[in-house]
Amino acid sequence: MAQTSTKWTWRNSAHFPGIDSLGSGFVLAAARCPMPSGPPAATFEALEGEIPHNALVVGHDGTRLTTFHAGDDIQHLLTDTNGNIWIGYGDEAAVCAQPPANRRHTSSSGTTPQPAPRMTMSMPGLIRWTGAGEPAWYATSDPMGPGSWVDCYALNVGADQTLAYPYTGFPLVEIDAAGIRWTRRTPIHFAPAVLVDGDNVAFLAADTGPRKLPGHYTVTLTRSQNGPLETVASAPLLLADGTRPDTWARRKVCRGNQAWLQFHDERTWYRIEL
């Protein structure tokens, strides 16, 4: 992809940014990214030129390595030890890209392979990007996935596995380099954080009921023996001083058996370990 400075639109869309380490550098992305409007571009070059880039990859020395279009309505941004970038999307998501299998086609002369024209895809749910900003896998294009993947409600990227928890059915889905490995039914809905340790999976979900006080979460431990997850135990989420949070979590990062939560104070993170 081109790396011209005109593609980088961070200053205009720096709402709810996501950031994570990537190798010895980092990747940064703006959660909101306006999609191109109006009639379609006449050429591939013109189409590429009007797609905004809202993600930035920076090297260990602060050098900008590349920018790329990461799509709109980003809810999660996590990287793995293999240099992949996992981006989970909300139900308003849209991305200008082609599925990996269709990313190259033959030119009209029939001689030179050319990049396939991009298109706007709605509700991609989850995309695995390469460290260079190229789409490598789409949740909505995987035949092994659940029937509906409107929103990646929670995402957990650990050292050796990636787990997603999509709306509308809220199954637990494991993804590896080849795509989706398995999907399991869960007893919990609308959990914004998931922790996993072997056969044990914990869900952090807001308390239900007429009061529904801000910050009142329940942690539910579940377990599976190669089947649906079943509830083992549950308890309220308490801070270190024994009290409940008084606001909803502003940010959540889930990695393996640990989750980090940030509430009203931007300088303070709380860690849960399963």
Side-chain angles (χ1 to χ4, degrees), residues 64-262:
R64 184 184 68 174
L65 300 180
T66 189
T67 67
F68 64 96
H69 169 77
D72 187 31
D73 197 17
I74 293 174
Q75 301 294 319
H76 314 277
L77 185 153
L78 291 167
T79 61
D80 62 26
T81 55
N82 295 317
N84 297 305
I85 303 168
W86 297 83
I87 297 182
Y89 299 86
D91 57 7
E92 297 179 358
V95 61
C96 294
Q98 278 276 15
N102 301 324
R103 282 177 47 222
R104 302 194 70 83
H105 74 291
T106 303
S107 66
S108 57
S109 64
T111 58
T112 306
Q114 299 290 329
R118 292 171 177 261
M119 60 180 289
T120 298
M121 299 175 59
S122 62
M123 299 184 298
L126 179 65
I127 299 177
R128 184 179 73 239
W129 303 79
T130 69
E134 293 288 345
W137 174 85
Y138 292 85
T140 50
S141 301
D142 196 313
M144 293 292 291
S148 176
W149 197 311
V150 177
D151 183 325
C152 186
Y153 218 80
L155 179 66
N156 185 312
V157 179
D160 54 5
Q161 66 179 165
T162 296
L163 294 167
Y165 174 75
Y167 176 80
T168 58
F170 296 109
L172 189 66
V173 182
E174 181 177 5
I175 308 108
D176 61 14
I180 292 175
R181 291 189 59 195
W182 49 252
T183 300
R184 292 178 183 165
R185 293 195 305 273
T186 71
I188 306 298
H189 287 178
F190 299 101
V194 175
L195 298 81
V196 60
D197 186 10
D199 293 329
N200 297 316
V201 180
F203 297 89
L204 174 70
D207 289 356
T208 58
R211 298 183 68 189
K212 201 171 184 179
L213 298 175
H216 282 217
Y217 292 96
T218 294
V219 181
T220 301
L221 177 65
T222 67
R223 187 171 297 137
S224 171
Q225 297 295 333
N226 298 319
L229 292 165
E230 304 290 346
T231 299
V232 175
S234 62
L237 175 68
L238 301 178
L239 301 179
D241 62 2
T243 64
R244 284 178 177 263
D246 57 8
T247 63
W248 300 121
R250 299 177 54 184
R251 296 175 184 268
K252 299 166 287 291
V253 177
C254 302
R255 288 197 177 278
N257 68 338
Q258 300 182 47
W260 286 262
L261 306 174
Q262 185 187 83

